[in-house]
Amino acid sequence: MRMKIALLPGDGIGPEVTREAVRVLRAVGDIYGHNFEFDEKLIGGAAIKQMNAPLPTASLDACLESDAVLLGAVGAPEHDHLPPDKRPEAGLLTLRRALGAYANLRPAISYQAVIDCSPLRAGVVAGADILFVRELLGGLYFGEPRGFIKDNGASAAFNTMRYSTEEIERIARVAFAAALVRRRKVTSVDKANVLETSQLWREVVGRVALDYKEVTLEHLYVDACAMHLVMNPRRFDVVLTENLFGDILSDEAAVITGSLGLLASASVGGEVGLYEPVHGSAPDIAGRGIANPLGAISSAALLLRHTAHLEQEAQDVETAIRTVLDAGYRTPDLDCGQSKYIASTTEMGALVAESIAEVADMRHAYHAV
Ligand code: NAD
């Protein structure tokens, strides 16, 4: 298989973690005979500095001409004073919209090896395996009108939360289809006791559920969901929700996994899939070689699964991550007592890349027996 991947490392730890994701994809290419071609471009603060725009045309064009986009993170404190449409984050929002990637898939899995890194009791998080399906192109992040106004001389600001039936239906279908190949349960999260958009959300999701009789549907208010996520995360299989609620709840899920640095995401549904770790640019640790690259590497595994349709290769990358963690290797964010060896960002990437060959060999040996 030949694939062209647009690479947007971005800001802060973005370049550090994407370098390791690329290392792992190259290892997959070597082992299984695939050709991944990378086209590196600027986004975010790095693009503002060099091109005076958070998403230069050359970067957007490269993404639209690729099979998939692998992104690090955007955001830098030096740009925090800029208006929202000029900030690094605006580049990412424009890219998501241009790609038409409306379905953001965010798996949150509790790995046994790092279970003690969660501030929650091991008995609470053990076995938790949740897929967040977050609507990515609607709601408050994109709703118009929006802006700053003067209200009787005083400053005020406003945003619009808007959802159409079509937007809700297409994301609901993604969630139900995902649940069919998992544990067949969808929890739809809204605030239907207060918001009209949520009332429409609940109605449309209920209608879509009729086409998926094998899947159990439950509705939860977002405040209750936030509590249940940390009280009993195992009760969840697929969590379906709108843009803002999904952003917040999937970060909360970092508590279940033990570190934000482990979480991956895939944004699909458009012409070109976008793959990026859930975390931001982490300016507090950037340039120190201590960022956890496993979220970026897991995002590369999602790229193999959802865009390349290389399920075996995706599973082998995920098994390699588990193998390295089981062997006791940890980046500092995962150092909670039982680490055998504290690995730098590059060491962790190299360990996973090396482990893939062993995982593939063991699978072949198993099938041969
Ligand atoms: P953040 O995710 O960058 O960091 C939150 C905390 O988690 C920090 O203490 C950080 O050190 C730690 N952390 C994050 N990723 C890590 C990793 N891979 N390994 C180890 N530790 C890790 O969130 P923030 O500090 O709120 O935001 C920083 C910047 O990132 C802001 O400019 C924000 O707008 C931006 N941001 C971008 C994205 C994105 O690009 N998708 C997402 C969230 C935030």
Side-chain angles (χ1 to χ4, degrees):
M1 123 110 50
R2 293 181 75 84
M3 251 188 110
K4 191 169 166 199
I5 300 171
L7 194 63
L8 304 180
D11 305 320
I13 63 170
E16 301 169 43
V17 297
T18 40
R19 202 173 298 130
E20 302 314 313
V22 168
R23 186 204 295 268
V24 165
L25 284 174
R26 288 200 198 282
V28 168
D30 291 345
I31 295 164
Y32 304 84
H34 305 306
N35 186 344
F36 301 121
E37 186 191 317
F38 297 95
D39 184 11
E40 186 168 334
K41 290 282 181 291
L42 294 165
I43 191 170
I48 293 172
K49 265 193 203 152
Q50 287 192 41
M51 318 275 287
N52 206 24
L55 182 67
T57 310
S59 302
L60 179 57
D61 289 348
C63 293
L64 292 170
E65 287 159 15
S66 297
D67 298 302
V69 181
L70 187 61
L71 188 138
V74 295
E78 67 203 89
H79 296 116
D80 281 354
H81 66 282
L82 295 173
D85 61 331
K86 300 273 185 290
R87 286 175 60 136
E89 292 81 351
L92 183 52
L93 292 182
T94 306
L95 178 63
R96 287 173 178 168
R97 189 162 36 189
L99 296 180
Y102 64 86
N104 186 219
L105 313 178
R106 295 185 164 195
I109 299 164
S110 168
Y111 293 109
Q112 187 61 33
V114 291
I115 207 156
D116 290 328
C117 295
S118 171
L120 301 174
R121 286 197 306 278
V124 171
V125 294
D129 178 354
I130 307 171
L131 178 67
F132 288 87
V133 177
R134 168 190 170 198
E135 201 290 325
L136 202 61
L137 295 185
L140 281 169
Y141 290 22
F142 291 98
E144 296 285 350
R146 62 190 292 163
F148 295 97
I149 48 167
K150 286 282 179 206
D151 195 6
N152 280 334
S155 295
F158 64 102
N159 292 89
T160 300
M161 186 184 266
R162 181 190 294 266
Y163 270 108
S164 69
T165 299
E166 190 204 342
E167 285 172 315
I168 301 168
E169 183 169 338
R170 67 182 184 178
I171 191 71
R173 291 199 181 278
V174 171
F176 281 97
L180 275 179
V181 293
R182 290 174 52 95
R183 300 191 305 283
R184 301 188 170 206
K185 180 178 176 187
V186 168
T187 303
S188 176
V189 178
D190 59 41
K191 190 71 182 164
N193 49 343
V194 178
L195 303 175
E196 285 79 359
T197 42
S198 284
Q199 286 162 10
L200 180 66
W201 182 278
R202 204 171 264 226
E203 183 193 313
V204 175
V205 171
R207 212 177 317 125
V208 171
L210 300 176
D211 293 341
Y212 298 86
K213 296 251 169 18
E214 311 90 324
V215 177
T216 305
L217 168 66
E218 71 167 346
H219 298 282
L220 265 188
Y221 295 136
V222 62
D223 39 355
C225 181
M227 183 194 69
H228 286 298
L229 266 178
V230 286
M231 291 285 286
N232 182 13
R234 277 193 300 269
R235 84 195 282 285
F236 295 102
D237 177 17
V238 174
V239 174
L240 162 66
T241 191
E242 64 89 43
N243 206 344
L244 176 65
F245 299 161
D247 195 0
I248 297 168
L249 293 176
S250 57
D251 261 34
E252 186 188 355
V255 171
I256 300 164
T257 64
S259 172
L260 188 54
L262 286 172
L263 297 185
S265 84
S267 302
V268 296
E271 287 285 300
V272 182
L274 170 65
Y275 300 87
E276 52 178 323
V278 168
H279 62 74
S281 57
D284 53 333
I285 59 165
R288 291 167 54 195
I290 59 171
N292 186 344
L294 296 181
I297 294 172
S298 298
S299 303
L302 294 178
L303 184 157
L304 293 171
R305 173 170 295 126
H306 293 289
T307 290
H309 304 293
L310 297 170
E311 179 60 29
Q312 191 61 69
E313 285 82 338
Q315 281 184 24
D316 285 357
V317 172
E318 288 162 351
T319 306
I321 291 172
R322 279 182 199 272
T323 306
V324 170
L325 291 175
D326 286 346
Y329 294 99
R330 308 276 188 271
T331 41
D333 55 306
L334 290 173
D335 181 23
C336 40
Q338 309 93 332
S339 320
K340 201 169 94 187
Y341 182 73
I342 297 295
S344 67
T345 309
T346 46
E347 284 167 334
M348 191 53 123
L351 283 161
V352 174
E354 282 159 23
S355 179
I356 295 167
E358 287 161 35
V359 168
D361 282 350
M362 275 173 59
R363 193 166 36 74
H364 286 137
Y366 177 80
H367 286 303
V369 175

